[in-house]
Amino acid sequence: MSENVVHLHKPTDPPASDTAPTVLTVVPDAPPARPVPLWVRSGRAIKTGVTHEKTRATVRAAARHSLYTFNGGRIVARRAWDGRTGARYERMIRAAEAAGNLEAAEEWEERLQRFRAARHHRRMDLLHSPVEAAKGVAVGAGMSISVLVALGVVMALNTGHVGDVITPLSATIDFIALLIRIVQIVWGPALTIGPFLALLALWSVGRKQQAAPAWALPANVRSSEGEPITPSIVVKALRDLGVPALRNAIKEMGDAGASMLGPIRIAGCGVEVDVTLPSGVATNEVQNKRRKLAENLTRHEHEVFITIPEAARTVRLWIADSGALDEPIGPSPLVTDETITADYRKGKAPWGRNLRGDAAELSVYQRHLLITGRSNQGKTAALRSLALWLSLDRSVQFWIADLKGVGDWSMYDGIAEVLIEGPSDDHVVQATEMVEDAVEEMNRRIEVRRTDPSATFPPLIVLVDEAQVAFMCPVKGEDGRPYGGAKATSRYFMAVRKIHNQGRAVDVLMWQGTQDPTDQNLPKLVREGAHTRASLVLGTEAQSRMALGDKAVDDGAAPHLLRQGLDKGTLVVASDGIEMPAGQSSITVRTHFIDDDPAKEIAARAKALRDGVATLHAIDRTEERDALADVAAVIGDAARLRTDEVLKRLHALDTAVYREWNNGRLKRLLEEHGEEPKKSHGVMVVRRDDVARALANRDSEGSASAAE
């Protein structure tokens, strides 16, 4: 039992006198902590000992050296078996057959036949060799004894002692006896040490071949981050990919799979190699295991790209140097070279660099453009860098709608003829009407081209950034048609489709940037209408197919495998306007980033090339027109016109004002002035006299109001 502790202290309140008594307080001790059970302490000690780094290192070392010896024995046994049999030739024959190389298979078959014939002759010689060997031994022994006796005779003649005749023979016998004695002395220890020496030899063979699992290897060998890519590493990575047919085919190949590989070529900041897969292995089986293949190659997933070249049953691997893709690619030539110019027809925009480190340049001549990707991954920067280059061609016109509206395109004030900035529904309405105006311009150019086939027109780039805002807009016009949506009634959708269908013939091009493509915010017909399709990082393979098309994804394009945030500005491009290796349908480009201040400087150079452009920041659809007078003007001298004919003529008179007019709107106009369309022979018509009375009524009402 614990003892109590006595504390001495004065009371909190001041005492009445200096002689106030001291208060004694007895505070019991806290109960002692319960002892930890022995089995708990033992378990903790065992766990600490087992998980200690020294213990783990000891276990790895024991496993490593044991496996060196065991696998070294397997290697020696295999080499001995290959040397004594035709197993090596048979493996080479199977490898050639698996690769479809029948000529090589026949050549190895001939070598195997020659090896078997030579082995047969050696075996037949062994049948006669014992007799021949015995004869040889007898002849050799007789000659040796004769030589020794002759030497003894010479010695006896020299010394005069007859006994010297057998002296050489006796010395030889004594030497042989000494050798036998030495062997008798050494034989015992040799029998004891011999097995250890044999195990040491097997261990040495296994150690040279690193014949142990990766977890058991030393830390400096086990950490193979960034090691050079060699044929053996590539074959081993393919063998361990988890494809049974591929693994078995590599095991059966006499060259351990080396015949599958083409030359390993340096390609930019990495290497490239073509792999011809054996029969029974499909290319998509390798594509679907990109992560495992990359890890087998001691690389991260984003550092290995798999594409399908033209050759059948072949995959092309591009393997980056470790960490190379995380290094910047440098500034854009537009920033570093102030003398650079653009040429819409023959030039190519300096967009960035491909994975091989070569300059990636894009031709925009008569190509509609679509760039998509997740938010804040560099979509606007990639789109703007193309537009900045093209703005250095003074003949190119720009109509721009930035539906983000945060100033990313503000430097185009003075370059673009139309610049709409803002995310609201009103801005979507203006952007839609801008695209519809582009359709009208396209139709006008087509009409001119019909009468004059040699007519040329300045290129017109209709650019809508954050186009998903337009597709998702719920607002409807006066005619009931929605501005957004993906149906045939959608005004924005149909305007874009019309430009996609016929715009490139007269150099009216549609450029769009949009986020996370779906069937709702980026309809299929709009996606398929773009000649150049590029995508930043996406979330799913389905989105990648929407962005780039099925063929590009089937051939290896994988924007959904890019890293969110880390691969910002990296695009997968499917276009015939960019140079790419033969047989590939897409290419990965790391785009140059042009910040706002350098972009403004480039825009200033573009403005200096132009005569001065008055930028329209909002399309004014509220222009004051005398609609009733316009109706009277389009009817002219006719007594009556059908309402649809009146609407058609109004539209031709001023497309911007009367685009949305319909029968109901025309009827309301006449009703406001006391008249309305009437039927003639079952068809709604507008009479000239009715319009004249409506004008007279309006004028009289206006006069009365002025008199008051």
Side-chain angles (χ1 to χ4, degrees):
M1 176 175 262
S2 62
E3 298 180 353
N4 293 332
V5 179
V6 178
H7 296 277
L8 300 177
H9 63 86
K10 293 184 178 181
T12 304
D13 296 333
S17 64
D18 294 337
T19 60
T22 301
V23 180
L24 299 180
T25 304
V26 180
V27 180
D29 284 343
R34 297 179 59 184
V36 179
L38 178 62
W39 65 272
V40 174
R41 286 178 288 161
S42 301
R44 292 175 180 174
I46 293 173
K47 180 180 179 182
T48 302
V50 170
T51 58
H52 195 275
E53 182 58 32
K54 290 184 178 180
T55 305
R56 296 164 65 183
T58 303
V59 172
R60 280 198 298 267
R64 176 170 66 253
H65 294 294
S66 300
L67 291 171
Y68 279 168
T69 305
F70 176 75
N71 291 326
R74 291 178 56 191
I75 294 171
V76 171
R78 187 184 183 109
R79 290 174 179 174
W81 178 257
D82 288 344
R84 301 294 300 174
T85 67
R88 177 185 291 108
Y89 300 95
E90 292 174 356
R91 287 200 304 272
M92 299 300 291
I93 292 171
R94 289 194 297 269
E97 290 176 345
N101 192 344
L102 299 181
E103 294 181 359
E106 293 176 358
E107 182 180 351
W108 284 109
E109 180 69 25
E110 293 177 1
R111 294 184 182 182
L112 177 60
Q113 294 299 330
R114 291 197 297 269
F115 170 80
R116 288 175 175 172
R119 184 179 60 184
H120 176 71
H121 289 304
R122 289 195 302 270
R123 290 176 177 176
M124 294 302 295
D125 292 340
L126 288 175
L127 295 176
H128 304 89
S129 60
V131 177
E132 299 295 334
K135 291 180 180 180
V137 170
V139 171
M143 292 181 64
S144 299
I145 293 173
S146 299
V147 171
L148 292 174
V149 171
L151 181 60
V153 171
V154 173
M155 292 178 63
L157 292 174
N158 185 41
T159 59
H161 297 287
V162 178
D164 289 342
V165 173
I166 63 172
T167 297
L169 184 61
S170 176
T172 301
I173 294 172
D174 291 341
F175 179 72
I176 294 174
L178 177 62
L179 293 178
I180 294 173
R181 181 60 180 167
I182 292 174
V183 170
Q184 288 177 345
I185 295 173
V186 175
W187 184 253
L191 290 177
T192 304
I193 299 174
F196 293 101
L197 296 177
L199 291 175
L200 180 62
L202 297 179
W203 173 86
S204 178
V205 173
R207 180 176 174 274
K208 289 181 179 179
Q209 297 293 326
Q210 295 291 338
W215 61 267
L217 295 176
N220 59 336
V221 178
R222 187 170 65 251
S223 178
S224 55
E225 184 76 16
E227 63 182 357
I229 299 299
T230 62
S232 60
I233 290 177
V234 176
V235 172
K236 185 176 182 297
L238 293 169
R239 185 195 66 194
D240 298 338
L241 204 54
V243 181
L246 181 59
R247 181 180 62 250
N248 295 335
I250 292 175
K251 287 183 178 180
E252 292 177 358
M253 293 180 181
D255 58 355
S259 60
M260 297 192 307
L261 305 184
I264 297 179
R265 304 176 296 272
I266 295 177
C269 58
V271 296
E272 186 177 71
V273 59
D274 286 350
V275 181
T276 302
L277 301 176
S279 178
V281 182
T283 54
N284 64 337
E285 293 183 86
V286 177
Q287 280 185 299
N288 295 336
K289 293 182 177 291
R290 176 184 172 189
R291 172 174 292 181
K292 191 170 186 178
L293 177 62
E295 293 174 351
N296 290 347
L297 293 167
T298 65
R299 295 295 190 272
H300 297 292
E301 183 179 12
H302 71 277
E303 295 176 329
V304 174
F305 288 81
I306 305 173
T307 54
I308 309 299
E310 290 180 342
R313 218 173 63 236
T314 302
V315 293
R316 178 169 294 161
L317 306 180
W318 185 84
I319 307 159
D321 298 335
S322 183
L325 294 184
D326 295 328
E327 298 176 0
I329 63 172
S332 170
L334 294 175
V335 177
T336 59
D337 185 2
E338 296 184 358
T339 64
I340 195 171
T341 58
D343 187 338
Y344 165 73
R345 294 182 179 274
K346 299 179 181 179
K348 290 187 175 182
W351 210 6
R353 294 194 174 275
N354 60 24
L355 295 178
R356 293 163 181 79
D358 301 327
E361 299 178 331
L362 179 70
S363 171
V364 298
Y365 176 62
Q366 292 189 344
R367 289 178 176 90
H368 302 301
L369 175 68
L370 172 64
I371 298 180
T372 187
R374 285 185 170 178
S375 177
N376 195 32
Q377 295 302 303
K379 177 179 69 277
T380 297
L383 188 61
R384 191 174 68 182
S385 65
L386 292 176
L388 285 171
W389 173 80
L390 194 55
S391 65
L392 297 176
D393 183 343
R394 60 180 300 174
S395 67
V396 179
Q397 301 174 350
F398 289 92
W399 294 3
I400 298 175
D402 175 17
L403 298 182
K404 185 188 297 182
V406 294
D408 290 335
W409 296 90
S410 60
M411 70 285 300
Y412 271 79
D413 188 0
I415 299 176
E417 296 182 354
V418 178
L419 179 59
I420 299 169
E421 296 178 286
S424 68
D425 290 341
D426 290 339
H427 293 100
V428 172
V429 170
Q430 294 178 10
T432 302
E433 293 171 345
M434 179 190 77
V435 179
E436 289 174 337
D437 285 349
V439 173
E440 294 298 325
E441 172 64 15
M442 176 189 72
N443 292 334
R444 184 191 68 80
R445 294 183 178 189
I446 292 174
E447 291 297 328
V448 173
R449 183 68 61 82
R450 287 175 181 172
T451 59
D452 183 7
S454 62
T456 59
F457 309 98
L460 172 59
I461 305 299
V462 184
L463 191 154
V464 179
D465 195 10
E466 304 295 343
Q468 77 280 354
V469 178
F471 284 111
M472 301 299 288
C473 180
V475 176
K476 294 183 179 181
E478 294 184 3
D479 57 356
R481 294 177 58 198
Y483 285 90
K487 298 181 179 179
T489 56
S490 168
R491 293 177 56 177
Y492 181 81
F493 170 73
M494 290 306 297
V496 172
R497 284 294 301 144
K498 290 175 182 178
I499 294 177
H500 278 177
N501 289 338
Q502 296 178 294
R504 64 182 299 270
V506 289
D507 289 317
V508 177
L509 303 181
M510 191 76 208
W511 289 12
Q512 294 184 97
T514 183
Q515 292 182 14
D516 281 343
T518 65
D519 287 329
Q520 289 71 37
N521 64 22
L522 189 60
K524 177 179 176 61
L525 293 178
V526 172
R527 302 194 303 258
E528 300 296 334
H531 303 100
T532 296
R533 300 168 71 174
S535 176
L536 295 130
V537 59
L538 291 172
T540 64
E541 181 180 334
Q543 288 183 323
S544 296
R545 293 182 180 276
M546 292 180 184
L548 300 177
D550 291 335
K551 176 174 174 52
V553 175
D554 291 339
D555 289 347
H560 55 284
L561 296 181
L562 295 174
R563 300 169 297 168
Q564 175 83 14
L566 298 177
D567 287 327
K568 183 179 291 188
T570 299
L571 285 168
V572 182
V573 184
S575 172
D576 61 350
I578 191 170
E579 184 178 354
M580 62 182 67
Q584 292 186 198
S585 57
S586 67
I587 188 171
T588 302
V589 177
R590 302 171 67 197
T591 58
H592 294 296
F593 174 70
I594 303 177
D595 209 345
D596 289 343
D597 291 338
K600 293 176 182 178
E601 295 177 2
I602 299 170
R605 300 206 305 264
K607 293 175 186 177
L609 296 174
R610 300 168 186 262
D611 296 331
V613 177
T615 300
L616 179 63
H617 288 275
I619 301 175
D620 187 7
R621 299 304 185 195
T622 61
E623 180 182 353
E624 292 292 337
R625 290 195 67 98
D626 189 342
L628 198 57
D630 286 342
V631 172
V634 298
I635 292 178
D637 296 333
R640 66 178 66 87
L641 279 180
R642 294 191 308 177
T643 54
D644 57 352
E645 180 65 21
V646 173
L647 292 172
K648 181 179 179 181
R649 293 187 180 186
L650 286 174
H651 186 272
L653 179 64
D654 193 328
T655 303
V657 174
Y658 295 114
R659 176 188 287 119
E660 299 180 9
W661 278 52
N662 54 21
N663 289 332
R665 182 70 180 88
L666 181 60
K667 181 180 179 181
R668 289 197 301 272
L669 172 66
L670 296 176
E671 288 177 344
E672 290 173 0
H673 301 286
E675 302 292 336
E676 65 178 9
K678 300 180 177 62
K679 284 189 176 182
S680 176
H681 300 90
V683 178
M684 294 298 297
V685 297
V686 179
R687 302 174 187 272
R688 182 185 59 189
D689 295 340
D690 294 342
V691 176
R693 283 195 300 271
L695 283 170
N697 293 338
R698 187 189 65 179
D699 293 341
S700 61
E701 292 174 358
S703 299
S705 299
E708 292 178 359

